[in-house]
Amino acid sequence: MNAASLAKTLVVELDGRVIGDLMLQVEDGWAQAEVADQARGVHAELGWVLHPGHAGHGYATEAVRELVRICFEDLRLRRVTANCFADNVASWRLMERIGMRREVHTVRESLHRSGEWLDGMGYALLAEEWAAPASTRG
Ligand SMILES: CC(C)(COP(=O)(O)OP(=O)(O)OC[C@H]1O[C@@H](n2cnc3c(N)ncnc32)[C@H](O)[C@@H]1OP(=O)(O)O)[C@@H](O)C(=O)NCCC(=O)NCCS
């Protein structure tokens, strides 16, 4: 891992051992030129990977939920997003479990390391959606 990616990486520990990592990349929101200052550093893209030996216990869900809390409560961001291949069911199920909303299903837009262009999924969550009681979420 290079220094640039380490700066946006958090590790997931279980009993003192690293079992996964999270990415937190703060970004600017899209804005018209007159208001661009107000959109600086207000969004974040998130990512995650869990050691397969620790899958299926909810550890990634717990870690990503805490990452989202950090984004909204501590960093006061207004929107977080995450992307995955459409066939990455474990990943988009995790996003839905923590209340993220599916916004896009892209068609053959993401290049897999196999060389194949695959469909993608894009999810998002706004601060006000996260703060809303679970019973009022979609
Ligand atoms: C995406 C990834 C982190 C998901 O791993 P995971 O083990 O499914 O996620 P969790 O650790 O949150 O576990 C959730 C599973 O444990 C189950 N579980 C058991 N106890 C649980 C608990 N207390 N809380 C939540 N889930 C629990 C859930 O039901 C779920 O299983 P299901 O999907 O079959 O219903 C993992 O597949 C991965 O690292 N993939 C490779 C990297 C990747 O694709 N990253 C995404 C690109 S951003």
Side-chain angles (χ1 to χ4, degrees), residues 95-129:
M95 296 192 235
E96 294 189 352
R97 207 178 288 122
I98 64 168
M100 293 183 80
R101 197 168 22 75
R102 185 180 297 178
E103 288 194 335
V104 289
H105 180 159
T106 58
V107 177
R108 291 195 292 280
E109 164 271 349
S110 302
L111 185 59
H112 190 263
R113 63 172 68 86
S114 64
E116 194 181 351
W117 288 93
L118 300 180
D119 290 6
M121 295 283 194
Y123 278 73
L125 188 65
L126 292 166
E128 61 261 36
E129 293 172 316

Side-chain angles (χ1 to χ4, degrees), residues 2-3 5 12 14 24 42 45 51 67 87 89 97 112 128 134:
N2 62 34
S5 54
V12 182
L14 178 68
L24 167 57
V42 295
E45 182 179 352
H51 188 287
L67 182 63
D87 64 2
V89 179
R97 207 178 288 122
H112 190 263
E128 61 261 36

Side-chain angles (χ1 to χ4, degrees), residues 6-128:
L6 272 177
K8 55 186 183 183
T9 301
L10 296 87
V11 297
V12 182
E13 284 187 1
L14 178 68
D15 300 331
R17 295 186 61 189
V18 175
I19 61 163
D21 63 72
L22 307 173
M23 178 192 83
L24 167 57
Q25 179 159 302
V26 176
E27 298 174 336
D28 297 342
W30 187 88
Q32 289 192 298
E34 300 88 331
V35 286
D37 279 355
Q38 297 167 42
R40 292 231 166 86
V42 295
H43 293 174
E45 182 179 352
L46 311 181
W48 41 81
V49 58
L50 182 72
H51 188 287
H54 294 281
H57 299 286
Y59 297 140
T61 300
E62 183 182 339
V64 176
R65 195 174 269 135
E66 176 61 10
L67 182 63
V68 169
R69 190 203 63 74
I70 290 169
C71 287
F72 291 137
E73 278 189 12
D74 299 346
L75 302 178
R76 314 300 292 178
L77 302 180
R78 61 174 303 281
R79 173 180 147 96
V80 298
T81 56
N83 302 290
C84 65
F85 290 115
D87 64 2
N88 189 346
V89 179
S91 194
W92 60 253
R93 274 171 66 88
L94 182 160
M95 296 192 235
E96 294 189 352
R97 207 178 288 122
I98 64 168
M100 293 183 80
R101 197 168 22 75
R102 185 180 297 178
E103 288 194 335
V104 289
H105 180 159
T106 58
V107 177
R108 291 195 292 280
E109 164 271 349
S110 302
L111 185 59
H112 190 263
R113 63 172 68 86
S114 64
E116 194 181 351
W117 288 93
L118 300 180
D119 290 6
M121 295 283 194
Y123 278 73
L125 188 65
L126 292 166
E128 61 261 36

